[in-house]
Amino acid sequence: FGGEATVTAGVLRFSAATSDPGSAPTILRRFLGVDASIDAANRGGLVVDSTGRLVGLAVSAPRAGSSVGLVLPAQQLRRTVSQLAQHGQPARTWIGLWVRPLGAARAAELGVEPPRGMLVTRLASGGPAEEAGLEVDDVIVELGGRPVVSAADLGAIATGSSSEQPLTVLVIREGRPRSLRLRPAPMPQ
């Protein structure tokens, strides 16, 4: 409306860095949640803190009429921009496995506190998970030091990791914890 700039104040509602994995819906944990509505007019705008430091990029609202806007964190934004500059596309990684929720009975049998843990159902032949020594029926409870509560958690950690840095995978195998080293690989084309 003729103004050169606008500013909206908001409060951070949840963060990917939160210590409580239940504080934000699983699918949203890779984003920051702010109590500012983000619509088509301000999507793609930069979000800064009260001192002017970059917090992230305004992405969207999770549903129509929501008062919580989603922000791509600055660290992830910087990594993506760097990858675009170097390679012309974001570098995505994969770990080569399929999982399903553990289920309450199996979790109790293994002594895993629900909803934590995903059951490995299939491994990609020659993929990173198979090379790391994961097996079908392993229960993944942590990847890269972060708890795994859902397939979305696992995917977000895997695709957001570097193929240059191995991750520690904590699994339960035959009722016993086991730590493995897994190196994500560039996603096949």
Side-chain angles (χ1 to χ4, degrees), residues 6 8 14-15 19 43-44 49 76 84 86 101 103 110 115 124 129 136 144-145 152 182:
T6 61
T8 302
F14 59 83
S15 163
S19 58
R43 238 182 320 221
D49 67 12
Q76 189 174 343
L84 286 168
Q86 290 176 11
L110 294 172
V136 169
L182 182 148

Side-chain angles (χ1 to χ4, degrees), residues 12 32 34 47-49 53-57 71-75 78:
L12 185 66
L32 303 175
V34 296
V47 177
V48 296
D49 67 12
R53 289 183 309 207
L54 179 66
V55 172
L57 181 79
V71 175
L72 183 67
Q75 181 181 7
R78 285 183 183 105

Side-chain angles (χ1 to χ4, degrees), residues 7 10 36 39-40 46-47 51 55 73-74 84 106 114-115 142 144 154 164 180 185:
V7 176
D39 58 25
L46 297 179
V47 177
T51 65
V55 172
L84 286 168
R106 183 81 170 123
E142 283 184 16
L154 193 62
E164 298 160 13
L180 303 168

Side-chain angles (χ1 to χ4, degrees), residues 31 49 55 62 80 102 105 135 137-138 146 148 162 174 180 185:
F31 298 100
D49 67 12
V55 172
T80 302
L102 184 55
E135 298 177 2
D137 291 330
D138 280 350
R146 293 169 52 192
V148 173
S162 167
E174 298 174 356
L180 303 168

